[in-house]
Amino acid sequence: MLTVPPTPERPAVPRTGLLDHLEATSGTPVAAIIAPPGYGKTTVLTQWAERDPRPFGWLTIDQRHNDPAVLLRSIAVALELVDAVAHPPLSALGSPGPSVLETLLPQLGAALLASDRPAVLVLDDVHLLQNWGCLRAVTSLIEFLPPGAQLAIAARGEPPLPFARLRAEGRVVELGAGDLAMDRQEAGSLLEGTEVDVSQVDVAELVRVTEGWPVALHFAARSLRSGSGRRAATGVDRFLADYLQHTVLSSLPAWLVSFLTRAAVLDQLSGPLCDAVLGRTGSADLLEVLERSSLPVIPLDRQRRWYRFHRLFRKLLRERLERREPAL
């Protein structure tokens, strides 16, 4: 359990545009940063905490927080550590049960309201919350936020929170993969930070191939620094393949990995097309679920009928298909 922002392993590229946007929407109760792994969600939150004058309470979610009492106790501790609440109501957490939500949440809301300064509560890795009582607690906490306070949520996929209602009410600001993708200037700063001679690199082409995916740019920089320039130009190397295998594919069931691998032969994906090519049914619903999960699946229209894989993710899947099922 982490109740302070993590210390970055290497100097981070300033995400000035994103921070300006978060600053401009500081009156919005909920800030949601939702994107697949490797898009720098935690980095943006850390830079925001350093720049914003408000106190930040920070909680990195893990499996232990799938208990309402543990979750709410941890939130109270995180806020207490930064003096963001007047009197954290930890005494109300003596025994788990329904009374925890009924008694603690109003007290926590009252404590936030009594604070001298509005605070920002960061919940990182919210996709790990699966207990419905915990998700209900987070939803209820939004209603207790005083004016000027914010709940910042970071997750790999959209958690089952009332985002549709929050959007309709104008109470949530959202940043997704497209917002977190690095532009040419940011990519150049990343390369310079890893001691790569930017004058010898076609940064614009690298951004095009990686689609600005920060983790892909990082691994490309490592390859360039080691002299593997040709591989870095494609944005695909052993480091990135290992990363995607570990953070994305390894946690998926075999049938889903098979679907993804075989669907990678298609430039664009739709439910009927995947059903026809793969000889299955239900692909339309599956694609919609995948787009809302932690996978780099990109919608191509507002109706969510057509999708595509991120270019590098598709390349990895194609190589996997050719290696494991060449006859297919």
Side-chain angles (χ1 to χ4, degrees):
M1 178 178 68
L2 188 63
T3 53
V4 295
T7 302
E9 297 179 359
R10 56 188 179 276
V13 175
R15 307 305 308 272
T16 307
L18 297 176
L19 299 179
D20 289 343
H21 181 61
L22 289 170
E23 181 180 16
T25 56
S26 60
T28 306
V30 180
I33 304 179
I34 300 172
Y39 273 93
K41 300 179 290 294
T42 301
T43 298
V44 171
L45 287 170
T46 302
Q47 293 183 7
W48 184 22
E50 293 173 349
R51 172 169 161 172
D52 197 296
R54 293 173 295 180
F56 272 63
W58 190 290
L59 179 62
T60 300
I61 301 296
D62 59 36
Q63 294 297 340
R64 291 171 293 176
H65 295 113
N66 279 294
D67 177 319
V70 174
L71 175 65
L72 293 174
R73 185 192 304 275
S74 300
I75 288 174
V77 169
L79 291 170
E80 182 183 28
L81 287 175
V82 294
D83 296 324
V85 297
H87 300 288
L90 294 174
S91 60
L93 290 169
S95 59
S99 62
V100 171
L101 297 181
E102 296 169 3
T103 60
L104 178 67
L105 281 169
Q107 293 182 44
L108 189 55
L112 284 167
L113 187 60
S115 178
D116 294 335
R117 293 185 297 165
V120 179
L121 172 63
V122 173
L123 298 181
D124 200 2
D125 288 343
V126 173
H127 56 276
L128 296 178
L129 279 185
Q130 300 170 340
N131 179 281
W132 281 105
C134 294
L135 292 165
R136 185 161 66 92
V138 174
T139 300
S140 300
L141 184 60
I142 296 171
E143 306 306 321
F144 287 106
L145 291 173
Q150 282 184 290
L151 175 65
I153 293 172
R156 292 183 176 182
E158 185 174 306
L161 297 172
F163 281 106
R165 175 171 60 83
L166 292 171
R167 292 184 188 110
E169 296 171 351
R171 300 173 65 202
V172 59
V173 54
E174 299 176 83
L175 296 177
D179 304 298
L180 297 169
M182 288 184 167
D183 59 23
R184 181 175 178 177
Q185 181 178 354
E186 291 171 325
S189 297
L190 186 151
L191 294 175
E192 290 175 347
T194 55
E195 300 180 354
V196 171
D197 185 355
V198 179
S199 65
Q200 302 299 316
V201 181
D202 187 342
V203 179
E205 175 63 11
L206 194 57
V207 170
R208 187 193 69 80
V209 171
T210 62
E211 300 184 42
W213 195 358
V215 70
L217 287 165
H218 168 69
F219 286 126
R222 289 184 60 174
S223 295
L224 286 165
R225 189 175 58 186
S226 66
S228 305
R230 186 185 65 82
R231 294 293 290 172
T234 68
V236 177
D237 62 12
R238 176 176 58 84
F239 297 118
L240 179 60
D242 290 346
Y243 176 85
L244 292 174
Q245 174 63 38
H246 175 71
T247 61
V248 178
L249 296 180
S250 64
S251 61
L252 301 178
W255 68 266
L256 182 52
V257 175
S258 177
F259 172 85
L260 295 170
T261 303
R262 296 179 178 190
V265 300
L266 300 169
D267 294 323
Q268 298 182 359
L269 314 170
S270 73
L273 182 58
C274 288
D275 283 346
V277 172
L278 305 182
R280 52 166 288 131
T281 59
S283 296
D285 291 338
L286 180 56
L287 287 170
E288 185 172 353
V289 170
L290 294 178
E291 187 261 322
R292 297 181 183 276
S293 71
S294 62
L295 297 174
V297 178
I298 302 167
L300 298 178
D301 56 62
R302 295 177 64 87
Q303 292 74 33
R304 297 302 201 266
R305 294 175 181 168
W306 286 93
Y307 304 82
R308 69 175 178 86
F309 293 132
H310 185 286
R311 182 180 289 105
L312 299 181
F313 185 56
R314 182 190 179 205
K315 187 173 182 65
L316 172 71
L317 294 173
R318 285 291 301 268
E319 291 175 353
R320 182 187 180 97
L321 179 66
E322 293 166 3
R323 184 172 65 253
R324 300 195 176 192
E325 299 180 276
L328 185 63

